[in-house]
Amino acid sequence: MRYYLRKIVFYLLAGWIAITLNFFLPRMVKGNPVQVIIAKTQRLAPLPPEARHALELQFGQTHDSIVVQYWHYLQEIFTGNFGLSVTYYPTPVVDVIGQALPWTLGLVGLATVISYVIGLLFGSYIGWRRGTWLDSFVPISTFLSAIPYFWLALILVYIFGVNLQWFPVTGGYDNTIMPGFNLDFIGSVVYYGLLPAFTIVLASVTSQVLAARNMMVSTMAEDYVVTARAKGLRPGRVFGSYAMRNALLPSITGFAISLGFIVNGSVVTESVFSYPGVGYTLIQAVENDDYPLMQALFLIITLAVLGANFVADVIYGVIDPRTRIAG
C-alpha cells in the first residue's frame, strides 16, 4: 500500500507542476491572443477601444495580480473552461478539442494498439526461435525503423494515393456524405483512415519487433527459463508462462507512454494527410498563434502522459511484486 501511496503523491505533484508551468509559459511568450485577433481585424478597419476591451475580457487579459490570475486559471481548468480559440474564433477551445479528439483516438489509438500487439508477439516469437529463418526479419525491421517518419508517410502517399489512387490523401471522410451514425459515413471514415493507420502501424511495429526480440533473447538465458526447459515442460508453456511474461515487462512502460501520447495524436501523419485530429489541430494552433488552444492541448497531453505512466506503475506493481518491495 505504501508503494501506491508514494506513486499517487508523486503524480499529483507532477500534475500540479505541469499545470503551473502551463500557466506561466504562455505569459513568457511575446504577444497574446488579443493582439493576434486585432492584427487580423485591423486589415479591414481599426478596432475601437471598446471592442479591444471586450476582447481582453473574453481572453482573460486583465490587470489583476499574477496570484489572482493563477487562482482564476485553476478554477477555469477544473470547470473545463479553456477560453476561446483564436483560430476558430469565437468557438470555445473545449469544443474545438472535443471535435478533434474522437478522430485521433479512433485513428492513432487503434493503430498504436495494433502495432504494439503485433510487434510484441511477433518480436517475442522471433527471439524464441532465434537462429532460424525468422532472424531474416531483423535487418528488415532495422531498416524500416531507421526511415524518418514523415518521409515514410510521404512515400506511402505518393505510391498509394497519387500514383495508384487506391486511397484518398487528405481529410477524414468524404465531404459529400452527411456525417452521422450510418453505414455510408462509417465506411467513408474507415476508407479515409486506412492509409494513415497503415503508416502509423508500419512506422511503429518495426521498433517493437526489435525490442521484443532482444528482450526475449535475454530472458531465455535466465535461470528460471533454463530450469523450466530442463524439467521437460512443454515449449508452449515455457514460452508463455516463463519467457514471454517476463520479457514483456519492460515494454509495459513504453506502451503506457505511447497510450498517453495518443491524445497528442501523430502530428506528422495527421499533418501529411490533413487528418482532422488533435495533431493537425495543434499544427493549426501553432501557425495561427492560438495561445489558448495550444495551452489547453499541451495541458491535456501532459496530463494524459502522466495518467498513462501512473497506470503503468500500478500494473507493473501487480505483475511484478518485486517492484513494490524494491520501491
Side-chain angles (χ1 to χ4, degrees):
M1 181 61 66
R2 184 178 300 176
Y3 168 81
Y4 296 110
L5 288 177
R6 281 201 299 266
K7 292 297 181 181
I8 292 174
V9 172
F10 170 78
Y11 282 105
L12 287 177
L13 179 61
W16 173 74
I17 293 175
I19 291 174
T20 303
L21 289 176
N22 200 52
F23 169 78
F24 284 104
L25 287 179
R27 287 160 174 78
M28 299 170 63
V29 179
K30 291 183 179 180
N32 57 62
V34 176
Q35 293 179 355
V36 174
I37 293 181
I38 291 177
K40 294 180 180 180
T41 56
Q42 281 184 339
R43 299 173 184 174
L44 304 175
L47 196 67
E50 297 81 5
R52 180 188 180 94
H53 180 65
L55 284 175
E56 290 176 346
L57 293 178
Q58 284 183 331
F59 287 96
Q61 301 293 322
T62 62
H63 299 287
D64 296 329
S65 65
I66 194 68
V67 177
V68 175
Q69 293 182 36
Y70 181 68
W71 174 248
H72 290 319
Y73 163 77
L74 293 178
Q75 290 179 323
E76 291 172 353
I77 284 179
F78 289 105
T79 57
N81 180 20
F82 295 101
L84 302 179
S85 170
V86 174
T87 307
Y88 305 94
Y89 182 82
T91 306
V93 168
V94 65
D95 292 342
V96 175
I97 296 177
Q99 293 173 2
L101 192 58
W103 294 95
T104 293
L105 293 179
L107 173 68
V108 185
L110 186 60
T112 301
V113 173
I114 291 175
S115 64
Y116 259 87
V117 171
I118 295 176
L120 295 180
L121 293 179
F122 188 55
S124 299
Y125 187 71
I126 291 177
W128 176 257
R129 298 295 302 276
R130 65 172 179 170
T132 64
W133 64 272
L134 291 173
D135 280 340
S136 61
F137 285 97
V138 174
I140 298 176
S141 300
T142 304
F143 172 75
L144 291 176
S145 62
I147 297 178
Y149 199 77
F150 69 92
W151 189 77
L152 177 62
L154 291 174
I155 290 296
L156 293 178
V157 167
Y158 179 75
I159 295 175
F160 296 104
V162 178
N163 281 351
L164 299 177
Q165 296 184 354
W166 289 356
F167 301 99
V169 296
T170 59
Y173 63 94
D174 189 348
N175 292 328
T176 62
I177 299 178
M178 183 65 65
F181 194 72
N182 54 74
L183 292 179
D184 291 337
F185 178 71
I186 295 175
S188 177
V189 170
V190 173
Y191 178 55
Y192 273 71
L194 283 176
L195 190 56
F198 179 71
T199 304
I200 297 173
V201 171
L202 185 60
S204 304
V205 73
T206 52
S207 59
Q208 299 306 319
V209 168
L210 292 175
R213 188 258 181 193
N214 294 335
M215 284 304 305
M216 177 58 73
V217 170
S218 300
T219 304
M220 288 178 60
E222 297 291 339
D223 293 339
Y224 53 85
V225 177
V226 175
T227 302
R229 301 178 72 173
K231 291 169 61 177
L233 298 179
R234 291 183 294 105
R237 184 180 178 185
V238 176
F239 173 73
S241 301
Y242 291 86
M244 187 175 179
R245 179 181 178 182
N246 292 279
L248 296 185
L249 284 176
S251 301
I252 294 177
T253 302
F255 180 59
I257 295 175
S258 298
L259 290 179
F261 277 109
I262 286 176
V263 179
N264 178 24
S266 181
V267 177
V268 175
T269 301
E270 292 184 0
S271 178
V272 170
F273 291 94
S274 297
Y275 197 80
V278 174
Y280 182 73
T281 303
L282 181 59
I283 294 295
Q284 295 297 310
V286 173
E287 291 178 350
N288 292 280
D289 295 328
D290 194 343
Y291 299 118
L293 183 55
M294 283 189 288
Q295 187 178 25
L297 288 173
F298 289 149
L299 179 62
I300 292 174
I301 293 168
T302 303
L303 295 181
V305 173
L306 289 175
N309 277 273
F310 173 71
V311 173
D313 283 338
V314 172
I315 296 176
Y316 214 105
V318 173
I319 296 178
D320 190 356
R322 295 173 299 178
T323 305
R324 300 196 304 268
I325 297 174

